[in-house]
Amino acid sequence: MFGITLCAFFLIKALPGDPVLSLVGERAHPEIIESIKKEMGVDKGFIRQYAGYLNLLAQGNFGTSYYTNRDVLRDIIGKFPNTLALAFAAMLIAVPAGVTLGFIAAYRKDGLIDKCVNAVSLAGLSIPVFWSAIMVMLLLSLKLKLFPPSGTGDIRFLVLPAFVLSVPAAATLARITRTTVADILKMPYINTAKAKGLSSLNISAVHVLKNAIIPIVTIIGLDFGSYLNGAVVTETIFGWDGLGRFTMEGIIKRDYPVILGCIITGTAVFVLVNLITDIAYHYLDPRIRLHAKKS
Amino acid sequence: MPKKVKSSELRVRSSKIDLKLFFPLSILIFLFAVSLMTSFLPLYDPNKIDLDSIKRPPGIDHPFGTDSKGRDMFARVVYGAKTSIGVAVVAAFVSAFIGFFVGIVSGYFGGRLDTVLMSITDFILSFPSLLLAIAISVILPPGIYTVMIAISVVSWTSFARLIRGHVLTVRDMPFVDAARAVGCGDLRILLLHIAPLCVPLGLVMMGIKMGGFVLTEATLSFLGLGAQPPAPTWGSMISANRAYILTEPWMVIFPGLAIFITAFCFNMAGESLKDRQEVMGNRL
């Protein structure tokens, strides 16, 4: 029951979104209408254009690109696995790094290590992704020739963009983990566990991690959005053939069907991941399960 | 209720925090002041094309080198500060203002208005923020005002959420009842009794968000959606000079460092503001 209401809630939230977005998207047409009118025959009114786009969407069609005349949906489906691979690779780096750093900082709260972790994570949050991407590329692939600078392909192509993408995510994760774990360590049940004579490994694995997992999972879910954000820039720079680069190409060429399609897909994925995160709570935290049953 | 903190503890913590707040703040103020006074400083014209001195490495004449059109990178980076910091500050004020207004109205009146306003907020929050900002900047003609609008539209929501939550706790406090008993109208209670209590929270949130605004501005102008060339912005400098990275890396390194330092200072200042707020008993 809980899951279904949640589903409905998210669907309602997601549904009006896409039309509204395409609505404002279509409004840009008057400016470039002269050129497009001849090409596309779009001289209908603004409402009718919008209705037409909605109609297309309802048929599961994103239209065709102004430039390549290819089906946008097919292109998106073709490129999506690449972006997904990139996001997962970034997650594979960010989650262990962020959680470990956060744990260490929390256990050494206000100590030197904590301050270092804090400074590093602040720096990670402040680095512009496009700049770190170029710098990493310059250092590791152009100077040291460890990785190929750009392109799509096997795992060697994946390492650099995934690393660049994971930095801000790991930084957020480390900060949240640190505050959460530091709060948990102050709880009476940690003292109880210590008094019982449990080993510190046991305490951190069972008592601390289990209670810290909800905020951590939330951030991992939200970070997925930041991967989508970052992918636009990272994929463009590293020439990774995914949705982000496709979006960027669409923007440069003002290819409205492509831009709209990509943004709608990105948002849908983001909402879906949030939904999965919320469902995951249900399994991870018995308190939420009980609460849902009551209400 | 604010947590009681021993005065000695408070003093120790605040003296520590001060440095963390005022160090980045002074750097930022210095940067912004310099960028505002550019016309009085002995700088090159940031847009003057000098084909005799293209791609000069950093040296005495050109501390940050010159770019592929012979423009002085140092002058361009300094001029870029005006755009970057200015856009972030304006966007922060605009989004804080919108969010503040929506938050207090929504929290105070509750009911259907609250439901409507909060669904709009949730709706915007359900987008990946940069994608939404990109979408807005694509629709509007590119320029710094578009960037300000894009950032504000995306980010007022977190202010609205925060302020609404705070109003909900303040609304039922005895002094509000007292004000009403004395005969104050809704508007007076909102503006004179509730709003002042939310201002510090809004300011702290602004501090936290500012670093992100600088990065968003830089990203949008890197993507060519911000101020248009030849206007010097950090993001567009990096994207324009990307091709020369192997042979003339300074063209990319310096604007990037400028973005990094600005964002870092804002983030650090924001964090210390947040710590302060927590000492006063309000968790963000």
Side-chain angles (χ1 to χ4, degrees), chain A residues 202-222:
Chain A
N202 188 324
I203 295 178
S204 28
V206 178
H207 294 78
V208 178
L209 188 63
K210 237 182 165 176
N211 281 292
I213 200 107
I214 286 286
I216 293 176
V217 167
T218 313
I219 296 299
I220 295 176
L222 284 177

Side-chain angles (χ1 to χ4, degrees), chain A residues 9 17 49 73 75 84 103 111 133 147-148 228 265-266 271 283-284 294:
Chain A
F9 174 60
Q49 280 183 34
L73 185 65
D75 273 0
L84 209 61
F103 255 86
F147 299 98
L228 290 172
T265 318
V271 171
Y283 290 98
L284 291 173
K294 260 188 241 160

Side-chain angles (χ1 to χ4, degrees), chain A residues 178-210:
Chain A
R178 175 187 172 269
T179 6
T180 318
V181 171
D183 279 354
I184 290 171
L185 287 178
K186 278 188 240 153
M187 292 285 176
Y189 56 73
I190 297 298
N191 283 336
T192 313
K194 272 185 204 154
K196 278 199 296 189
L198 296 179
S199 69
S200 62
L201 187 71
N202 188 324
I203 295 178
S204 28
V206 178
H207 294 78
V208 178
L209 188 63
K210 237 182 165 176

Side-chain angles (χ1 to χ4, degrees), chain A residues 9-251:
Chain A
F9 174 60
F10 266 104
L11 275 181
I12 290 164
K13 241 168 72 171
L15 258 177
D18 308 339
V20 170
L21 203 74
S22 29
L23 181 102
V24 272
E26 298 290 326
R27 198 189 295 159
H29 278 184
E31 294 157 20
I32 52 161
I33 206 149
E34 289 309 314
S35 59
I36 293 182
K37 229 193 251 170
K38 289 166 200 146
E39 273 176 53
M40 312 291 297
V42 191
D43 39 9
K44 288 169 269 176
F46 155 69
I47 308 249
R48 289 200 31 213
Q49 280 183 34
Y50 171 54
Y53 188 71
L54 271 192
N55 197 14
L56 267 183
L57 273 188
Q59 292 163 14
N61 191 339
F62 283 163
T64 51
S65 159
Y66 289 166
Y67 285 81
T68 57
N69 221 12
R70 285 158 60 105
D71 189 35
V72 173
L73 185 65
R74 189 169 301 162
D75 273 0
I76 287 179
I77 292 173
K79 288 168 200 291
F80 188 62
N82 283 336
T83 298
L84 209 61
L86 182 60
F88 272 113
M91 214 150 113
L92 223 57
I93 303 174
V95 173
V99 173
T100 318
L101 281 180
F103 255 86
I104 295 171
Y107 274 91
R108 296 272 179 277
K109 196 166 183 288
D110 295 326
L112 187 64
I113 298 180
D114 182 26
K115 283 189 181 129
C116 291
V117 169
N118 192 20
V120 168
S121 65
L122 259 189
L125 281 181
S126 316
I127 275 192
V129 172
F130 55 90
W131 186 64
S132 58
I134 297 175
M135 288 295 128
V136 165
M137 197 157 113
L138 173 70
L139 216 70
L140 294 182
S141 59
L142 297 179
K143 295 266 188 223
L144 298 177
K145 307 212 183 299
L146 289 178
F147 299 98
S150 70
T152 319
D154 59 10
I155 193 143
R156 290 185 314 130
F157 288 90
L158 197 59
V159 174
L160 288 188
F163 171 72
V164 167
L165 207 49
S166 73
V167 169
T172 343
L173 207 53
R175 303 177 75 75
I176 299 290
T177 310
R178 175 187 172 269
T179 6
T180 318
V181 171
D183 279 354
I184 290 171
L185 287 178
K186 278 188 240 153
M187 292 285 176
Y189 56 73
I190 297 298
N191 283 336
T192 313
K194 272 185 204 154
K196 278 199 296 189
L198 296 179
S199 69
S200 62
L201 187 71
N202 188 324
I203 295 178
S204 28
V206 178
H207 294 78
V208 178
L209 188 63
K210 237 182 165 176
N211 281 292
I213 200 107
I214 286 286
I216 293 176
V217 167
T218 313
I219 296 299
I220 295 176
L222 284 177
D223 272 345
F224 217 85
S226 78
Y227 295 143
L228 290 172
N229 283 340
V232 176
V233 175
T234 325
E235 285 181 0
T236 312
I237 292 174
F238 287 106
W240 184 258
D241 190 23
L243 270 191
R245 200 174 76 152
F246 195 43
T247 317
M248 198 51 223
E249 282 168 0
I251 290 171

Side-chain angles (χ1 to χ4, degrees), chain B residues 22-141:
Chain B
F22 289 114
F23 175 64
L25 220 53
S26 49
I27 293 181
L28 287 172
I29 290 172
F30 174 73
L31 278 178
F32 197 47
V34 167
S35 74
L36 286 182
M37 293 187 300
T38 38
S39 44
F40 304 110
L41 296 172
L43 287 170
Y44 288 89
D45 179 350
N47 295 328
K48 187 171 166 265
I49 293 174
D50 179 3
L51 294 178
D52 286 337
S53 57
I54 58 170
K55 299 181 184 174
R56 289 272 168 84
I60 299 166
D61 257 9
H62 303 280
F64 288 0
T66 61
D67 70 0
S68 58
K69 296 189 179 75
R71 294 176 293 195
D72 181 50
M73 285 303 290
F74 185 70
R76 288 179 72 73
V77 168
V78 170
Y79 274 80
K82 188 155 57 181
T83 329
S84 293
I85 302 180
V87 167
V89 170
V90 171
F93 272 102
V94 172
S95 52
F97 184 78
I98 302 173
F100 197 83
F101 179 75
V102 171
I104 57 172
V105 166
S106 183
Y108 183 73
F109 290 107
R112 203 171 290 169
L113 186 67
D114 182 35
T115 317
V116 171
L117 288 177
M118 281 305 118
S119 352
I120 298 175
T121 312
D122 282 347
F123 166 62
I124 291 182
L125 280 172
S126 70
F127 283 97
S129 55
L130 187 66
L131 274 188
L132 187 57
I134 289 177
I136 293 167
S137 338
V138 169
I139 294 154
L140 301 170

Side-chain angles (χ1 to χ4, degrees), chain B residues 237-258:
Chain B
M237 272 181 247
I238 294 180
S239 88
N241 297 326
R242 233 173 84 195
Y244 308 105
I245 178 73
L246 196 58
T247 44
E248 288 91 19
W250 60 86
M251 294 180 200
V252 170
I253 291 176
F254 289 114
L257 272 181

